[in-house]
Amino acid sequence: MAKLGMVGGTGPESTVLYYREIASRYQKRHPEGAFPELAIDTVNMYEMLGYCRSGDFDRLEAYLMEAVRNLEAARTDFIVLTANVPHVVFDRLQKRAHVPMLSILEPTCREIAKQGLRRVALLGTGFTMEQPYFKTVFAAHGIDAIAPDAGERKAVDGIIAHELEFGVVKDESKAFVDRVIERLVDDEDAQGVVLGCTELPLMYAHAELPVPAFDTMQLHLDGIVDRMLED
């Protein structure tokens, strides 16, 4: 089996979800029902977000690189970032890492393209919705990713930061996000919606949407377990 290295803490709720889902999926697929071998190096979510908000991607890269080096020292075979936001420096980290890294964006793009969609709504933190890193990767796959307007982005970002990051799901907040999705489908011709924050699935775990939803975390998890078992 391949040993996984996880950069966690970005935020804690998503790290827990990653660990639980990887362990469960791995055990179901492993011939002997074993649990996976992995290592987690946890960073401070607020320090990471501070670098993101200030646009100091050099310091963000250096900060996350420390975690990557710790995971390499733990003799991992490949490494993942357990959140969408830090992928803004994924390419930089991948170039410097001594072991392979598996992005959250590529499996998402492949699944959207597989379903023949070319225009999707992008939901996530304000940072993810405003920065070009998501849209650039999607565009390389022939997919147009459209974000909510400024007011909607601010509100969605607040829901993620003050509620979902702490595992809190409020009915009124979900109703608001539902309306944002419906507007993007009706007014912007979105054919699908990307849940581009690893906490958003807490809100949509058992909900139906008017268009196909692409949970970046779930697609990432599929790719991770595939990689762990391919050897």
Side-chain angles (χ1 to χ4, degrees):
M1 72 181 76
K3 182 177 179 180
L4 168 66
M6 296 168 49
V7 178
T10 57
E13 286 292 332
S14 67
T15 305
V16 171
L17 285 170
Y18 263 83
Y19 177 80
R20 185 170 62 227
E21 285 296 317
I22 289 169
S24 175
R25 295 178 192 207
Y26 184 93
Q27 186 182 43
K28 289 176 182 177
R29 292 178 54 184
H30 196 277
E32 299 176 357
F35 284 106
E37 184 177 359
L38 57 83
I40 303 173
D41 194 86
T42 302
V43 300
N44 184 327
M45 177 181 72
Y46 296 109
E47 184 168 354
M48 180 201 74
L49 292 176
Y51 297 140
C52 290
R53 292 192 183 101
S54 66
D56 194 344
F57 298 137
D58 289 340
R59 292 187 70 181
L60 175 62
E61 176 190 350
Y63 183 55
L64 294 177
M65 201 68 222
E66 291 180 16
V68 170
R69 294 292 184 232
N70 290 339
L71 293 169
E72 290 174 343
R75 308 180 106 179
T76 57
D77 295 301
F78 73 110
I79 294 170
V80 299
L81 308 176
T82 60
N84 290 273
V85 168
H87 279 77
V88 69
V89 292
F90 178 85
D91 290 344
R92 297 189 189 190
L93 297 173
Q94 187 176 45
K95 288 178 182 178
R96 295 177 59 190
H98 299 313
V99 298
M101 296 186 66
L102 180 61
S103 168
I104 201 171
L105 299 179
E106 289 297 332
T108 302
C109 290
R110 286 196 297 270
E111 183 60 27
I112 293 170
K114 180 180 177 181
Q115 295 195 27
L117 307 185
R118 289 291 176 262
R119 189 171 174 83
V120 294
L122 172 61
L123 296 183
T125 63
F127 182 84
T128 294
M129 292 185 286
E130 292 162 8
Q131 290 291 321
Y133 69 106
F134 237 98
K135 296 178 181 180
T136 299
V137 175
F138 275 47
H141 288 263
I143 302 165
D144 185 17
I146 53 175
D149 64 31
E152 292 167 337
R153 292 197 303 269
K154 182 177 180 180
V156 171
D157 183 72
I159 290 169
I160 292 171
H162 303 300
E163 299 172 22
L164 298 182
E165 286 286 2
F166 300 97
V168 176
V169 179
K170 295 183 179 180
D171 290 341
E172 59 269 28
S173 296
K174 181 181 177 303
F176 174 81
V177 179
D178 286 346
R179 292 194 295 273
V180 172
I181 294 171
E182 290 168 2
R183 188 191 68 76
L184 291 170
V185 170
D186 294 340
D187 299 346
E188 303 289 345
D189 300 320
Q191 301 168 310
V193 57
V194 175
L195 302 180
C197 170
T198 45
E199 276 74 33
L200 277 171
L202 294 173
M203 181 174 281
Y204 286 100
H206 305 290
E208 292 186 6
L209 289 167
V211 291
F214 299 91
D215 182 338
T216 57
M217 184 182 73
Q218 294 299 325
L219 293 167
H220 201 201
L221 288 166
D222 288 340
I224 289 169
V225 177
D226 286 345
R227 173 67 181 85
M228 295 181 84
L229 292 170
E230 71 181 18
D231 294 338

